[in-house]
Amino acid sequence: MTDALQRLARPDKWYLGAGDGLVWAPPFPRWLETPGFWDEAHLFQYAVSPGFTVSFVVAGEPLAVRCRSRRWTPAALTLEHTIGRLRARETRCAPGAGLTARWEVHNPTRQPWTLDIVAWTAVEGEALAHQDVSVRRGVVRFHRTVVDRQRHRAAIRAELGCTPTAQSYAGYRAQGTVATLAPRFELTPFWDRWVSSGRLRGELHLEGLDSRGVVFLGLQRRFQVAARGTASFTISLSLALESERRPAVVARRRTVATTNDWRRFFAAVPQFRCSDPYLDRHWWYRWYGLRLNGIAAGAAPNYRHRSVCEGIDYFHAPISYSAQCHLRELRWHPDPEWARGVLRTFLDHQRPDGALPGRIPADHLEGPEFYHADWGGALLALDAVHPDATLRADAYAGLARYADWLRRTRDQADSGMVDVVDQQETGQEYTSRCQAVDPNADRDEWANRIRLKGVDVTVYAYRLYRALEVLAAELEPAAASRWTAMADRTARAVRESMWAQELELFSDVDPRDGRRTGVKAAVCFYPYATDLVDARHVAGFGRHLFDPRQFWTPFPVPSASRDDPRFNPDAEWKGKRHLCPWNGRVWPMTNSHVVDALAHVVREHRPAWAGRLGVLLRRFARMMTDAGRPDRPNSFEHYHPLTGRPSRYRGIDDYQHSWINDLIVTHLLGVLPHGDTGCTVHPLSLGVTAAAITGLRIAGHRVDVAVARGAFRVRVDGRGAGRGRVGEPLTVDF
């Protein structure tokens, strides 16, 4: 069994979470090495700042704390501190519904120390009313309001506690703002009012002329630290939405419990090993990212099912553009309800007109935000691994309504091609694709004013219609011919209207005149992942993709061709660096599509291109690391196509916007599931010496695959099921 915690350990990360909607992952932490959690946490989409800090006081004066080293694993961030003449180890974790810091303070001297510790937090006064604070059994309980980026307000229940139990407490209101407050004890009212007994005064003075200012809340505990002795204590801050069903209780779980939770999680997923160190490490890192950004079933009013957020910070909510990625990756998790929950979360909130929401906040519904996504392809991919009649029936009902909405609002002329009406709804802002139909398409105030028949969204529609065709054959046979007709119409449109013979490339179409725009973007390769292409399309695919002057950059594949007049590898659009530009950066989302597309071409048309597929996949994995170090994987939003450097200026790492692990299983190991009947195992020769996976679950069966020296072997439920040569398919019947 791989010890994934140790394999992922490193000194430069800090993100913590337990897959329940609360993460401590500040993009640009200012107080990372200050005791406690002063930098912001996120409870779903709400930023909560600060958390708390810990001050160490001797004879009324705070001791200086200096961090000497850090070590991170998915389970904990461990910091070694010097506190005056003392030494301390702080272990931070997020064991579920709270932030916890366990301390072991060692006295290396020959004399005993009387040490007071004060755990304290600060809240903007207007977010905390006097009556919202109480103290019971040494725990400070308070209610505060938070506001998300959409200006939606919510109430949070919080509890600050100490183990062993605090001996005193205090709360005061003061002028000032939290934004400018440093986590220093001498800046608090506690320092001014400190009594010689080493206790806070056991009082709550939360009045004042008005509610503005800062509310300081603190707990105190005294320790007698013997010569060469050690004192241990734990500080926890629990956080829960007022609207949550579960009670807010101080998280008293120890670090060892959190570590064991993570170990159990990694032990449950398929065990993978690979001679390529980048792919080997990414497998475990990706599972970590999925759990970090996970949401437990029932964690908030809008989440009846277990699901996944797109990422940290503002992205800590389910978003439809990335949900297609989560379905593909989580289909390899042994518990199928997680992947099913991702889809069900969106079906739960389907709009009355049939549209699926773009974003689902925890406790309210937002406006008409929408993203195109490959719902049909992702659903069939999931059902091929974990077939489920109930999900198929529920998904058919919802996706049929969505397909009707899509045709009604995005293809009113029944052309078979789907309109993009806003650069935002593709998830691909600032691109020549939209400029080709409207020079103002990149203006925010221009939303919903453009019309572009998009290659990518039309491929998504085609897969949706084919999926509904398959489901209807089982659930509504009389309707199957309708979906067949819609899929066939879209297929003809892609092959005839979107295929630019002169370019040998698929192209977006301007619906005003039916002309192809000719803009070369990575999404033009999306049809190659489907049966939409045949032999006449393949030469152009290779000519464009493998050309270093177009898409075969040192770190492929850029979102726009290098010969695009607006191409810029430095994330600039019209002279200004942007957060999410699609005019030349490499996006892991797009790379996932293109790897699938090239793999399909290799299997169906050009086996000789397998080596290039291997280069693409391995460069992809290498790009998603810090400075090319396999022991430091990352997952930023986008990357530089020439240097491979991530969008570090964005601050958003562990962004679940791609499907790395699904690419490993389906192409490196070649596992192509058929549901209840079995699977095809068809590994491709990707330049990897050896790889093996154990514990894949397909339709209730355990499948193990090992690839080495050009050959592979398969076991099903512990028994040999066949052998083969890499590059040749083997059918395995259950």
Side-chain angles (χ1 to χ4, degrees):
M1 189 71 65
T2 300
D3 189 343
L5 291 183
Q6 297 309 311
R7 292 192 49 75
L8 295 176
R10 52 200 279 190
D12 63 315
K13 281 192 73 68
W14 57 88
Y15 295 8
L16 297 172
D20 65 345
L22 175 68
V23 292
W24 188 71
F28 300 106
R30 295 178 58 201
W31 309 104
L32 182 60
E33 296 183 349
T34 297
F37 295 85
W38 196 257
D39 290 297
E40 73 272 14
H42 271 79
L43 183 62
F44 308 110
Q45 78 273 12
Y46 294 105
V48 182
S49 176
F52 66 86
T53 190
V54 181
S55 297
F56 298 85
V57 182
V58 173
E61 294 299 324
L63 299 178
V65 180
R66 181 176 65 85
C67 179
R68 296 182 291 119
S69 67
R70 302 198 318 260
R71 183 179 185 271
W72 173 90
T73 73
L77 176 66
T78 303
L79 303 94
E80 302 290 343
H81 297 286
T82 298
I83 306 175
R85 298 176 63 189
L86 305 176
R87 300 289 184 267
R89 171 173 294 170
E90 177 191 13
T91 304
R92 300 178 195 168
C93 60
L99 307 173
T100 296
R102 175 167 174 77
W103 286 82
E104 296 173 329
V105 180
H106 179 65
N107 175 12
T109 72
R110 297 181 179 179
Q111 63 182 31
W113 283 59
T114 298
L115 179 68
D116 293 298
I117 64 102
V118 180
W120 58 279
T121 187
V123 184
E124 287 290 353
E126 293 178 310
L128 185 67
H130 182 187
Q131 64 270 22
D132 290 335
V133 182
S134 63
V135 181
R136 183 183 178 190
R137 296 178 181 176
V139 175
V140 176
R141 294 173 169 85
F142 55 100
H143 297 238
R144 57 174 297 181
T145 57
V146 289
V147 182
D148 66 13
R149 290 195 185 183
Q150 303 302 321
R151 310 309 302 167
H152 184 85
R153 300 175 69 85
I156 287 181
R157 290 173 292 143
E159 297 183 355
L160 180 65
C162 175
T163 305
T165 304
Q167 295 167 323
S168 64
Y169 68 91
Y172 304 104
R173 193 182 299 269
Q175 284 189 324
T177 65
V178 171
T180 60
L181 177 64
R184 293 164 48 191
F185 185 71
E186 63 271 26
L187 303 181
T188 72
F190 309 131
W191 184 66
D192 292 316
R193 295 167 175 259
W194 191 260
V195 294
S196 59
S197 63
R199 298 172 62 88
L200 298 179
R201 293 192 174 185
E203 58 190 8
L204 296 176
H205 283 198
L206 303 176
E207 300 80 15
L209 292 172
D210 53 46
S211 62
R212 292 176 296 176
V214 180
V215 174
F216 294 85
L217 300 171
L219 297 171
Q220 173 272 339
R221 175 82 193 194
R222 171 164 285 186
F223 293 92
Q224 301 294 336
V225 189
R228 306 194 188 281
T230 300
S232 300
F233 62 91
T234 301
I235 307 297
S236 296
L237 175 68
S238 71
L239 300 167
L241 290 176
E242 191 71 66
S243 54
E244 287 187 48
R245 301 189 192 98
R246 58 184 177 180
V249 294
V250 172
R252 300 183 186 276
R253 299 173 63 198
R254 295 293 187 262
T255 308
V256 65
T258 307
T259 299
N260 288 339
D261 286 345
W262 273 99
R263 286 209 164 103
R264 282 191 292 269
F265 172 77
F266 284 124
V269 304
Q271 303 295 295
F272 173 71
R273 61 185 185 277
C274 181
S275 60
D276 183 295
Y278 297 97
L279 295 174
D280 184 90
R281 202 65 62 96
H282 264 295
W283 175 267
W284 303 105
Y285 190 78
R286 176 61 58 161
W287 285 116
Y288 142 74
L290 288 166
R291 185 172 189 247
L292 173 79
N293 289 295
I295 302 174
N302 285 346
Y303 307 141
R304 293 195 306 126
H305 311 281
R306 190 178 182 187
S307 191
V308 182
C309 301
E310 186 166 280
I312 65 166
D313 199 71
Y314 171 73
F315 302 101
H316 207 59
I319 297 175
S320 58
Y321 191 46
S322 60
Q324 59 184 324
C325 309
H326 306 153
L327 283 167
R328 291 183 179 277
E329 290 214 291
L330 289 175
R331 67 183 182 145
W332 302 113
H333 191 272
D335 180 6
E337 291 306 313
W338 195 1
R340 293 170 187 159
V342 170
L343 177 57
R344 289 189 182 280
T345 297
F346 284 89
L347 294 177
D348 278 354
H349 300 285
Q350 189 165 18
R351 295 179 179 134
D353 62 1
L356 291 169
R359 178 186 182 88
I360 303 176
D363 56 346
H364 65 283
L365 296 179
E366 291 183 349
E369 187 175 13
F370 166 77
Y371 293 105
H372 293 277
D374 181 19
W375 292 110
L379 170 63
L380 291 186
L382 168 60
D383 198 62
V385 178
H386 297 294
D388 180 70
T390 301
L391 180 69
R392 291 195 297 272
D394 293 344
Y396 177 72
L399 293 183
R401 292 179 56 220
Y402 171 67
D404 286 336
W405 174 86
L406 196 66
R407 182 199 56 77
R408 187 172 64 250
T409 65
R410 296 297 193 272
D411 188 19
Q412 296 174 350
D414 286 331
S415 69
M417 297 176 288
V418 175
D419 287 341
V420 175
V421 303
D422 178 350
Q423 67 166 351
Q424 303 283 344
E425 71 178 22
T426 61
Q428 301 173 23
E429 306 96 302
Y430 310 110
T431 167
S432 293
R433 297 180 63 202
C434 295
Q435 299 297 112
V437 295
D438 194 321
N440 294 313
D442 55 355
R443 307 254 180 111
D444 289 341
E445 67 272 16
W446 220 248
N448 299 309
R449 297 189 188 183
I450 68 170
R451 287 280 170 177
L452 172 71
K453 298 289 187 183
V455 173
D456 49 346
V457 300
T458 299
V459 169
Y460 293 165
Y462 172 71
R463 284 182 140 165
L464 175 64
Y465 302 149
R466 287 294 185 216
L468 291 170
E469 176 188 32
V470 170
L471 297 178
E474 172 192 357
L475 300 165
E476 192 182 13
S481 60
R482 175 183 175 229
W483 301 118
T484 300
M486 292 178 67
D488 288 346
R489 181 175 64 236
T490 296
R492 286 193 300 271
V494 172
R495 292 167 180 155
E496 296 171 7
S497 299
M498 290 186 152
W499 174 249
Q501 182 60 48
E502 67 281 5
L503 281 177
E504 289 190 298
L505 189 67
F506 292 96
S507 170
D508 297 327
V509 171
D510 188 334
R512 293 172 299 184
D513 54 19
R515 294 184 181 181
R516 290 176 287 273
T517 66
V519 174
K520 292 185 289 184
V523 299
C524 297
F525 299 129
Y526 285 16
Y528 290 92
T530 73
D531 61 359
L532 289 167
V533 301
D534 54 36
R536 67 190 172 113
H537 304 112
V538 174
F541 179 70
R543 183 166 69 83
H544 291 287
L545 179 60
F546 301 140
D547 184 354
R549 296 166 297 180
Q550 296 185 65
F551 293 97
W552 205 245
T553 52
F555 293 93
V557 175
S559 50
S561 174
R562 293 185 74 176
D563 57 7
D564 185 307
R566 295 183 178 87
F567 174 84
N568 187 287
D570 303 316
E572 293 178 350
W573 176 260
K574 295 185 177 180
K576 177 182 179 181
R577 188 175 73 177
H578 278 257
L579 299 179
C580 301
W582 284 75
N583 61 324
R585 300 289 282 186
V586 180
W587 284 76
M589 162 70 88
T590 302
N591 268 18
S592 299
H593 282 287
V594 176
V595 170
D596 273 343
L598 181 52
H600 183 261
V601 170
V602 167
R603 286 192 170 102
E604 298 296 327
H605 304 284
R606 291 287 194 277
W609 287 356
R612 290 178 174 177
L613 173 63
V615 170
L616 175 56
L617 181 59
R618 287 183 284 113
R619 286 187 186 178
F620 184 10
R622 186 185 185 282
M623 177 186 72
M624 295 176 67
T625 63
D626 288 336
R629 293 182 55 167
D631 62 331
R632 294 194 179 183
N634 61 38
S635 186
F636 283 85
E637 282 186 282
H638 49 86
Y639 295 79
H640 198 291
L642 307 181
T643 67
R645 291 174 180 165
S647 51
R648 196 172 298 282
Y649 69 91
R650 188 79 167 94
I652 306 296
D653 196 357
D654 294 346
Y655 192 64
Q656 306 305 297
H657 206 231
S658 52
W659 53 90
I660 306 298
N661 282 358
D662 189 65
L663 301 178
I664 290 172
V665 175
T666 55
H667 306 317
L668 177 61
L669 296 161
V671 180
L672 309 173
H674 305 157
D676 291 321
T677 61
C679 63
T680 296
V681 181
H682 188 182
L684 300 176
S685 182
L686 304 184
V688 175
T689 304
I693 195 163
T694 59
L696 286 176
R697 307 300 300 185
I698 301 177
H701 297 274
R702 171 179 168 141
V703 177
D704 306 331
V705 178
V707 180
R709 296 182 294 277
F712 68 91
R713 67 179 185 274
V714 184
R715 297 178 67 84
V716 176
D717 297 329
R719 299 179 179 180
R723 297 174 179 267
R725 302 295 303 173
V726 170
E728 299 175 358
L730 171 71
T731 299
V732 177
D733 295 324
F734 292 157

